[in-house]
Amino acid sequence: MIQHLLLISHVSKHFGGNVAVSDVSFAVEEKQIFGLIGPNGAGKTTLFNCITGFFPTTSGDVIFDNKKINTLRPDEVCKLGMARTWQRVKPLGSLTVLENVMVGAFSITNTTREAEIIAREQLQMVELTDYTTKSAGSLSIGLKKKLELARVLATRPKMLLLDEICGGLNHTETDIILDIIRNIRIKGATIVFIEHDMKAVTSICDRIVVLNSGEKLAEGTPEEITNNSDVISAYLGGGHHA
Ligand SMILES: Nc1ncnc2c1ncn2[C@@H]1O[C@H](COP(=O)(O)OP(=O)(O)OP(=O)(O)O)[C@@H](O)[C@H]1O
Ligand SMILES: [Mg+2]
């Protein structure tokens, strides 16, 4: 039997009369890089918020590592090995790069010494060792995105949910982040990746789900998705903004 690490089962999220996510189901296997795409307002970030405990689901279940997690708080979900990055990165600007990553590490250790060791390992993973003592607020957007990755890696997650981690980056910066994501998977983690850059999505994802107006429009391999006529007319035809 195939082992699903994450199972989204008939998840809906309503904000008053606004249906942001509507009866969405899919499963992510261990060590997959799984893409979640769709136009602005499709419900991608809302689904991440439901998975990670920031919003209760209106209906449906989220099962992670065989546990129902949609009734848990964000810190409880994090402790189970699920970490997420934010669409708008917000490092603690007055702290150093190292201290920001140590904040992540404190979710798995109580000692400063151990937190520093874990943080330095993750800074190496994202190639930020030259910036360890710099204030996080002074970093460029490209480096802030790497810092965001290091911060979540410091929680030693089984699964990472990345919300537009390449948003606002140029091609060179995007390629560097994609290589880091490939390395994260090689080390054993599973990744769900929200991204508008289709070249990035198709080059890195094993499987893709397309959301449109809160509903699942399609699911398949990158090739199936880029050739799907519903997806082309709803999304790939153009008119969206990152
Ligand atoms: N906290 C909230 N309160 C009310 N409505 C919300 C809230 N968060 C999201 N929504 C609504 O849910 C819908 C989906 O928004 P969401 O941010 O999930 O889209 P998205 O697919 O991430 O879009 P983008 O690609 O622009 O980031 C939108 O109609 C949005 O206005
Ligand atoms: Mg979003």
Side-chain angles (χ1 to χ4, degrees):
M1 205 179 78
I2 294 167
Q3 186 58 46
H4 294 134
L5 185 57
L6 178 69
L7 189 63
I8 308 293
S9 176
H10 300 287
V11 166
S12 295
K13 177 65 186 172
H14 300 184
F15 294 106
N18 180 6
V19 181
V21 177
S22 177
D23 195 26
V24 169
S25 299
F26 60 87
V28 181
E29 289 168 28
E30 231 173 280
K31 293 203 185 182
Q32 255 180 344
I33 300 182
F34 197 100
L36 188 58
I37 67 170
N40 297 116
K44 305 178 298 293
T45 298
T46 302
L47 185 58
F48 268 20
N49 286 331
C50 290
I51 296 170
T52 50
F54 287 89
F55 294 156
T57 55
T58 304
S59 58
D61 281 327
V62 181
I63 313 289
F64 175 61
D65 214 7
N66 297 315
K67 290 175 207 74
K68 178 172 157 170
I69 61 166
N70 48 297
T71 49
L72 301 183
R73 293 189 312 263
D75 59 309
E76 294 171 324
V77 173
C78 177
K79 283 238 165 6
L80 291 176
M82 163 100 67
R84 62 94 54 92
T85 64
W86 296 91
Q87 187 165 350
R88 293 184 208 299
V89 291
K90 36 192 174 185
L92 302 163
S94 58
L95 298 187
T96 66
V97 165
L98 178 67
E99 287 163 346
N100 265 271
V101 183
M102 285 173 69
V103 171
F106 278 125
S107 74
I108 56 166
T109 177
N110 294 323
T111 76
T112 307
R113 198 178 151 271
E114 229 182 312
E116 185 171 338
I117 292 169
I118 295 165
R120 286 187 187 279
E121 270 169 26
Q122 306 318 320
L123 286 170
Q124 203 163 11
M125 183 88 188
V126 303
E127 297 153 17
L128 267 188
T129 40
D130 291 349
Y131 298 86
T132 310
T133 57
K134 294 266 185 304
S135 93
S138 71
L139 298 184
S140 67
I141 179 70
L143 297 179
K144 277 186 181 145
K145 295 275 190 170
K146 285 183 166 187
L147 175 58
E148 178 78 349
L149 268 178
R151 182 186 63 76
V152 297
L153 284 171
T155 68
R156 296 246 166 91
K158 287 186 200 132
M159 174 170 271
L160 289 89
L161 305 189
L162 308 178
D163 195 348
E164 299 198 22
I165 194 75
C166 301
L169 303 188
N170 64 34
H171 289 309
T172 315
E173 292 166 330
T174 297
D175 285 345
I176 292 169
I177 295 281
L178 295 183
D179 276 340
I180 294 169
I181 293 171
R182 288 186 185 98
N183 287 335
I184 294 170
R185 185 247 290 271
I186 289 168
K187 292 214 159 189
T190 307
I191 291 141
V192 186
F193 182 67
I194 296 178
E195 185 51 60
H196 284 288
D197 176 345
M198 280 308 288
K199 192 165 156 274
V201 171
T202 53
S203 72
I204 202 171
C205 293
D206 304 304
R207 201 164 175 78
I208 297 171
V209 156
V210 187
L211 292 186
N212 188 39
S213 304
E215 293 178 3
K216 183 166 113 173
L217 180 69
E219 175 173 356
T221 61
E223 200 189 349
E224 285 163 353
I225 293 302
T226 46
N227 291 317
N228 181 305
S229 56
D230 291 340
V231 177
I232 291 167
S233 56
Y235 181 49
L236 300 181
H240 68 275
H241 305 281

